[in-house]
Amino acid sequence: MTRVEIEYCVPCGMLNRAQDVSEALLTQFGEELDEVALVTGDDGVFVVRADGEVVFDKTEDEYDVDAIVRAVRPYVGAAA
Amino acid sequence: MTRVEIEYCVPCGMLNRAQDVSEALLTQFGEELDEVALVTGDDGVFVVRADGEVVFDKTEDEYDVDAIVRAVRPYVGAAA
């Protein structure tokens, strides 16, 4: 099963964005995902990883929830 | 650091409650928590664990976000 991590910058107030992404992923994939973890960080970080692979990084990609959901799809239901 | 898991029943539509609890915990404790993981489940499950210890179980406790936050507090900032 698939674990998604959303590492976000706490002091920058990115919790809402992190929650939006987790809600979109869990609404889209439900039990096909094992878990979505909101990981606290700082220094402006906003990175999404699927099974350890970076699929979105704020320093490189435009923030777009639908694009992040599409980027996670190939990892969904991956062999445990 | 502290990991909190919120295992919730996907088919029962408990994602919103799970999101409310994760938001309350992350708003209250921020970087004192390492991560809050939303873990998909079924069969009516709604269980909150802090570092593996059950601190809320829907089959035993009244659902109350503030009470769940208070129950997590002793585990916050626990030695890594």
Side-chain angles (χ1 to χ4, degrees), chain A residues 8-15 39-45, chain B residues 26 30-31:
Chain A
Y8 70 98
C9 175
V10 174
C12 316
M14 289 187 180
L15 175 55
V39 178
T40 56
D42 47 31
D43 278 340
V45 66
Chain B
L26 288 165
E31 288 185 87

Side-chain angles (χ1 to χ4, degrees), chain B:
Chain B
M1 291 274 271
T2 310
R3 168 180 155 99
V4 175
E5 275 179 21
I6 304 167
E7 186 178 3
Y8 70 97
C9 175
V10 173
C12 317
M14 288 188 182
L15 174 56
N16 287 343
R17 273 195 174 184
Q19 293 264 127
D20 289 347
V21 173
S22 86
E23 185 168 358
L25 290 169
L26 288 165
T27 301
Q28 179 72 36
F29 300 121
E31 288 185 87
E32 288 182 282
L33 292 176
D34 198 28
E35 67 180 52
V36 174
L38 299 178
V39 178
T40 57
D42 47 30
D43 279 340
V45 66
F46 196 94
V47 171
V48 181
R49 297 181 193 84
D51 287 342
E53 302 280 330
V54 175
V55 296
F56 174 85
D57 185 334
K58 172 175 160 277
T59 60
E60 292 165 18
D61 310 308
E62 195 71 36
Y63 176 73
D64 176 336
V65 177
D66 295 334
I68 295 172
V69 171
R70 282 195 301 275
V72 166
R73 181 175 291 282
Y75 297 85
V76 172

Side-chain angles (χ1 to χ4, degrees), chain A residues 20-39:
Chain A
D20 290 345
V21 172
S22 87
E23 185 168 357
L25 290 168
L26 289 164
T27 302
Q28 179 71 38
F29 300 122
E31 287 186 87
E32 289 183 279
L33 291 175
D34 199 30
E35 67 179 52
V36 174
L38 299 178
V39 178

Side-chain angles (χ1 to χ4, degrees), chain A residues 14 23 39 49 51 53-54 58 64 68:
Chain A
M14 289 187 180
E23 185 168 357
V39 178
R49 296 181 192 84
D51 287 342
E53 302 280 330
V54 174
K58 173 174 157 278
D64 176 337
I68 294 173

